[in-house]
Amino acid sequence: PFNNVSQQIRSSISSLVNANPVGQSIDISSIVSIVRAVPGVQSVAVDSPQYDSTHDLIAVAPNQKARIIDPTVDISVSSVSG
């Protein structure tokens, strides 16, 4: 089950980021929202970049395009059991 959830998380984040237009920054809260929507996810924590009420943006310059090339390398997913 964890592998399926991880794969769906990576796919959802990749789709969001790769669909983002050139020059448009990405709200980290948008990433958190799509991850929370994945069945099996109980909570979400962002380690990097810094994410809190005053840091909610991955800045993208006007001539840049955010891309996820390899989701298994570019996106880290972990499970905390307790």
Side-chain angles (χ1 to χ4, degrees):
F2 177 70
N3 288 337
N4 294 341
V5 172
S6 296
Q7 184 177 1
Q8 192 168 356
I9 289 169
R10 287 185 177 99
S11 176
S12 296
I13 294 172
S14 295
S15 294
L16 176 76
V17 171
N18 291 340
N20 204 53
V22 172
Q24 184 171 339
S25 296
I26 301 169
D27 297 330
I28 301 170
S29 57
S30 296
I31 295 171
V32 170
S33 292
I34 64 161
V35 171
R36 281 188 179 140
V38 173
V41 172
Q42 294 180 355
S43 66
V44 178
V46 177
D47 289 333
S48 178
Q50 181 177 356
Y51 171 60
D52 56 38
S53 61
T54 59
H55 300 93
D56 184 30
L57 201 62
I58 299 171
V60 177
N63 60 342
Q64 292 180 334
K65 169 81 173 116
R67 298 278 302 159
I68 304 255
I69 304 298
D70 184 346
T72 57
V73 173
D74 298 338
I75 301 167
S76 176
V77 178
S78 59
S79 173
V80 179
S81 299

